[in-house]
Amino acid sequence: MAERTADTFPRLLVDLAANRPDDVAMQEKRYGIWQPMTWKGYADRVRDTAHGLAALGVERGDIVAVLGDNRPEWLIAELAAQSIGAAVVGIYPTSIGDELRHILTLSRARVVVAEDQEQVDKLLRLGQLEAARREELAAAGQEPDADELPLRIEHVVFYDPHGLEQYDHPWLMDFTELEATGREWGEGHEGWYDQQVAAGDAGDIAIICTTSGTTSKPKLGELSHQNLLAMADNLTEVDPVTKDFRYVSFLPFAWIGEQMLAVACGLSRGLTISFPEDAATQRADLREIGPDVMFAPPRIWESMLSEVQVRIDEAGRLKRGVFGWGYDVGDKAARARVQGKKGGNAAIRFLADQVATRPVRDQLGLARIRRAYTGGAPLGPDVFRFFHAIGVNLKQIYGQTEICGIAVVHRDDDIAFNTVGVPIPGTDLRISDDGEILLRSASVFRGYHRQPEETAKTVDQEGWLHTGDAGYLDEDDHLVVIDRQKDVLTAPDGSRYSSAFIENKLKFSPYVEEAVVFGPKEAGQGMTAMITIDPGTVGSWAEHERLTYTTYTDLAGKPEVYDLLAEEFTRANEDLPGAIRVKRFLLLHKQLDPDDDEITRTRKVRRNVIDERYADIIDALRRGDDRVSISSRITYQDGSSVLRELDLDIFDLTTYEIPAGRGRRPVWSGRR
């Protein structure tokens, strides 16, 4: 494993620019062509941007906000702020309204680096609302609440000028203008930048990442250079990464997972980072680059599996048969491999890989993958098993923002599909008397920004991070995560269970996008579920079945779709203990939306919002009703909206039987 040469990100960049000036540090695809940037070019742009931020009044200890999709300018702004002793707080590009205001006011950011017209419009609108509200208060002779933090934005620097040519707001500045200002400012401050980089300390805040915020507004976790680089060192001790590894950055930098690999591992090991052209070309660009290392939350792996299922279902009988044979060979080999054994005849495995599973890996952009991780939420064991069967050495990791995203990981040849592995080097783990997972390492965060009371509740005096998750160690000392402690329930037979475990069973179906499971409130009620369908896979199935529909609501309400899901859930119930099998389910008329606060930006369900917003549906499910009437406001693209009354059916699985002679659907197929 290559040793890193410095203890802060800016100093790592300086060393890389000095030792590998002409190697490619990052590349961005624009107009179908990869545009490379060398380590020297990267360092020069960081220097100019740092000078530009200083010219805008950014000082040591300040926080710069960055709002937008992944582009080189995101990382340039991050490293520039860190170079002069400031830090960055990343904001998800989908954030709006109160969530956006909460992060900006709590961080007291005066400079925001924003991607494009969409993000600039959000910020300008936020500023207008703030000004209007203060005018109203002044006119009424009132003062803002004492605990209300003001919006402090003074400058908005955008890095995609398309559509902003006619904007003349005093806040606005093009990123290239910031760099030009920096070059001019730097001419009068010779040696200042080098002094600032040298003055940086490993314990300084490097980034501020928002927590998932499943039960409240997100908190801002302060992570130091030391925190992040300790995590990178410990992870790469388990799974070595070299400078020749390729990495494709397509998940938001506001998420600790992307900071973990693209920044911490990327800079400490000198990886080349590639940025896809846009969301529509991600899969093609991923395939073109063929990354060696990849980290993604479960929804990405689940969507890849769904894509495979759709493509194979559209293939002819011969191709389906060949893949089915190759998958079975790979599955048997994978089951042996994860136990450290050899799996079957090597020649047969090679042939199966060449004709069946390798082409699928290639289509997914995973042909060269050597390190693949998932985390942020549980991944269903069946999905996990699928990727191992096609030759992807996928590993589950466990961690939180508060410990730099990773503390526990699977090891090669020691993978159990229902666990998250064992602690990485330098990490202590124990289970408290009440079943809570506690972690301690050099990667435990500095604390929550401006929330010392919350920090004290999370990290005790001995340095143990109280995760709030319930779990246990199995007979092989692998960690098994049950769920958030507050969400662990007790079945009628007295056994403890997790709603998330049941939900993952249901979500293994390619037709399910989200599943929210509700436990009984009274004896005899049983488990129930509210489901949102996957419009892509269900739509493809409906087309194959010649089933016509107009909207998502129309499709979700079809009796044929209910029957489709009933069979899927009956199969899932077969793998569940009797006490926690799902008895009734409802297909929701809409998808869960982070803009409605129903799920977080990382697609974790906000159960408190669901419990309140869908109380009538939940009550009807538990009572055993056949149908529930709700009011739903539909908003159209032109901004108009209408209130509609809808009747939603509830399906009783206790009276359903799978048609005689119908076998279990293969893992790799969506066909019944």
Side-chain angles (χ1 to χ4, degrees):
M1 180 181 73
E3 294 294 327
R4 58 182 170 87
T5 55
D7 58 357
T8 68
F9 293 137
R11 288 200 279 267
L12 282 168
L13 178 59
V14 169
D15 287 353
L16 285 163
N19 298 322
R20 298 170 51 196
D22 299 324
D23 287 356
V24 176
M26 61 176 78
Q27 56 181 356
E28 177 187 18
K29 199 170 194 181
R30 299 178 63 187
Y31 306 109
I33 300 173
W34 290 102
Q35 307 286 342
M37 184 188 306
T38 65
W39 286 109
K40 183 180 183 305
Y42 184 7
D44 288 345
R45 290 193 66 183
V46 166
R47 178 186 293 264
D48 290 341
T49 304
H51 284 151
L53 292 175
L56 296 182
V58 176
E59 300 176 343
R60 185 168 295 275
D62 284 350
I63 295 172
V64 174
V66 188
L67 170 64
D69 285 318
N70 298 21
R71 286 289 179 266
E73 287 79 6
W74 216 114
L75 289 185
I76 290 168
E78 178 172 335
L79 269 292
Q82 293 166 355
S83 297
I84 60 176
V88 294
V89 58
I91 305 176
Y92 287 97
T94 51
S95 297
I96 57 173
D98 290 342
E99 180 184 358
L100 183 58
R101 187 185 188 283
H102 167 71
I103 297 170
L104 290 172
T105 55
L106 187 58
S107 65
R108 303 186 183 182
R110 292 182 295 112
V111 175
V112 182
V113 177
E115 180 186 6
D116 55 13
Q117 183 181 18
E118 178 186 358
Q119 307 302 345
V120 167
D121 285 344
K122 289 182 195 175
L123 295 168
L124 295 182
R125 177 63 176 162
L126 208 59
Q128 291 169 355
L129 292 173
E130 179 89 354
R133 184 172 178 278
R134 293 192 175 276
E135 286 178 6
E136 289 178 6
L137 290 173
Q142 299 175 353
E143 293 289 334
D145 293 339
D147 59 349
E148 181 181 335
L149 296 172
L151 195 67
R152 297 171 179 265
I153 298 175
E154 296 174 6
H155 303 281
V156 174
V157 183
F158 53 87
Y159 50 91
D160 180 356
H162 182 70
L164 291 165
E165 296 84 356
Q166 304 302 317
Y167 282 48
D168 60 357
H169 195 283
W171 280 0
L172 299 183
M173 172 185 285
D174 192 305
F175 201 94
T176 56
E177 182 185 349
L178 176 69
E179 291 177 290
T181 299
R183 283 191 290 274
E184 183 178 345
W185 190 91
E187 291 174 0
H189 297 76
E190 193 72 29
W192 180 86
Y193 176 82
D194 295 330
Q195 293 171 4
Q196 296 302 310
V197 172
D201 186 85
D204 290 344
I205 304 172
I207 59 171
I208 292 179
C209 283
T210 56
T211 61
S212 59
T214 54
T215 58
S216 60
K217 289 182 178 179
K219 295 186 280 288
L220 309 186
E222 298 178 351
L223 301 172
S224 69
H225 300 271
Q226 181 179 10
N227 291 152
L228 289 154
L229 290 172
M231 180 279 305
D233 289 345
N234 292 330
L235 176 61
T236 52
E237 185 176 334
V238 175
D239 289 331
V241 170
T242 71
K243 65 182 180 66
D244 299 319
F245 275 41
R246 290 151 294 194
Y247 183 79
V248 178
S249 178
F250 61 90
L251 296 169
F253 280 126
W255 185 45
I256 182 58
E258 196 67 8
Q259 290 285 340
M260 183 175 72
L261 278 179
V263 182
C265 291
L267 277 170
S268 64
R269 300 305 181 265
L271 307 186
T272 297
I273 310 297
S274 300
F275 297 95
E277 187 153 12
D278 57 43
T281 67
Q282 274 180 11
R283 187 58 51 79
D285 294 340
L286 190 73
R287 184 183 178 193
E288 186 175 340
I289 293 296
D292 299 273
V293 60
M294 177 175 171
F295 178 79
R299 61 184 173 85
I300 298 295
W301 301 106
E302 290 162 356
S303 70
M304 284 187 175
L305 173 55
S306 294
E307 179 183 326
V308 171
Q309 291 166 330
V310 169
R311 291 176 70 94
I312 290 179
D313 288 347
E314 292 174 347
R317 179 174 296 181
L318 177 60
K319 287 186 177 180
R320 284 174 55 84
V322 169
F323 181 78
W325 169 77
Y327 179 87
D328 288 342
V329 172
D331 187 35
K332 291 174 184 176
R335 277 184 287 171
R337 186 171 57 251
V338 299
Q339 296 170 358
K341 303 175 184 177
K342 291 184 178 179
N345 185 288
I348 295 296
R349 294 202 313 270
F350 177 79
L351 178 62
D353 184 61
Q354 292 300 305
V355 303
T357 55
R358 180 182 172 83
V360 171
R361 293 200 307 275
D362 184 54
Q363 285 296 321
L364 296 174
L366 305 177
R368 298 191 186 107
I369 206 77
R370 285 188 272 180
R371 307 271 183 264
Y373 307 98
T374 183
L379 180 68
D382 295 324
V383 183
F384 214 145
R385 180 175 168 179
F386 168 81
F387 282 98
H388 276 267
I390 67 168
V392 177
N393 186 26
L394 180 61
K395 300 179 181 183
Q396 179 84 48
I397 67 103
Y398 170 73
Q400 296 180 332
T401 299
E402 293 86 345
I403 195 167
C404 296
I406 181 167
V408 181
V409 69
H410 283 127
R411 303 302 199 268
D412 287 338
D413 302 328
D414 185 23
I415 294 172
F417 298 147
N418 64 332
T419 79
V420 295
V422 297
I424 60 175
T427 300
D428 298 324
L429 181 153
R430 69 181 176 90
I431 307 298
S432 69
D433 293 340
D434 61 352
E436 183 182 13
I437 301 168
L438 306 183
L439 299 168
R440 184 171 60 185
S441 79
S443 294
V444 172
F445 75 146
R446 290 168 41 114
Y448 295 120
H449 189 64
R450 304 188 195 282
Q451 293 182 288
E453 300 85 0
E454 293 297 323
T455 302
K457 294 177 186 176
T458 304
V459 182
D460 64 27
Q461 294 183 344
E462 296 180 354
W464 288 102
L465 173 68
H466 291 246
T467 65
D469 291 331
Y472 63 91
L473 298 176
D474 69 7
E475 61 275 10
D476 297 318
D477 286 331
H478 277 226
L479 177 64
V480 178
V481 181
I482 301 174
D483 203 346
R484 296 296 291 173
Q485 266 196 314
K486 59 183 177 55
D487 293 328
V488 175
L489 305 172
T490 302
D493 63 359
S495 60
R496 299 176 79 207
Y497 70 93
S498 159
S499 296
F501 176 75
I502 305 171
E503 288 161 1
N504 279 331
K505 277 290 183 185
L506 303 182
K507 286 167 63 177
F508 177 65
S509 166
Y511 307 118
V512 175
E513 181 178 70
E514 292 291 346
V516 187
V517 169
F518 310 105
K521 287 293 186 183
E522 300 175 6
Q525 287 185 333
M527 306 299 297
T528 59
M530 186 175 74
I531 306 297
T532 64
I533 61 172
D534 184 307
T537 52
V538 177
S540 177
W541 171 86
E543 182 178 346
H544 184 267
E545 296 292 318
R546 293 181 171 82
L547 180 66
T548 59
Y549 65 94
T550 53
T551 63
Y552 178 97
T553 303
D554 183 30
L555 181 62
K558 295 286 186 184
E560 296 88 347
V561 175
Y562 267 91
D563 283 339
L564 173 70
L565 271 296
E567 180 173 334
E568 295 286 298
F569 297 159
T570 300
R571 299 288 191 194
N573 273 338
E574 293 173 1
D575 299 327
L576 294 171
I580 59 172
R581 289 180 176 176
V582 175
K583 291 186 175 182
R584 287 176 295 281
F585 73 91
L586 173 144
L587 301 184
L588 196 61
H589 61 290
K590 64 180 286 294
Q591 294 167 281
L592 299 183
D593 194 334
D595 289 345
D596 295 334
D597 290 330
E598 295 166 340
I599 53 176
T600 69
R601 299 296 167 186
T602 54
R603 302 202 67 82
K604 294 178 182 177
V605 173
R606 286 194 165 107
R607 292 186 180 275
N608 56 333
V609 175
I610 297 297
D611 289 345
E612 179 181 344
R613 186 165 297 167
Y614 298 105
D616 290 345
I617 289 176
I618 299 168
D619 290 342
L621 281 165
R622 285 174 171 152
R623 285 195 304 265
D625 296 352
D626 296 328
R627 184 177 288 105
V628 59
S629 297
I630 63 165
S631 297
S632 177
R633 182 166 295 279
I634 308 297
T635 302
Y636 298 101
Q637 290 184 344
D638 62 0
S640 63
S641 64
V642 61
L643 193 66
R644 292 179 56 190
E645 299 294 326
L646 297 173
D647 288 332
L648 304 180
D649 291 326
I650 295 174
F651 197 101
D652 187 347
L653 283 170
T654 61
T655 62
Y656 176 79
E657 292 185 6
I658 296 173
R662 182 173 286 166
R664 183 182 282 265
R665 173 179 58 79
V667 168
W668 42 267
S669 175
R671 288 189 184 178
R672 296 192 289 180

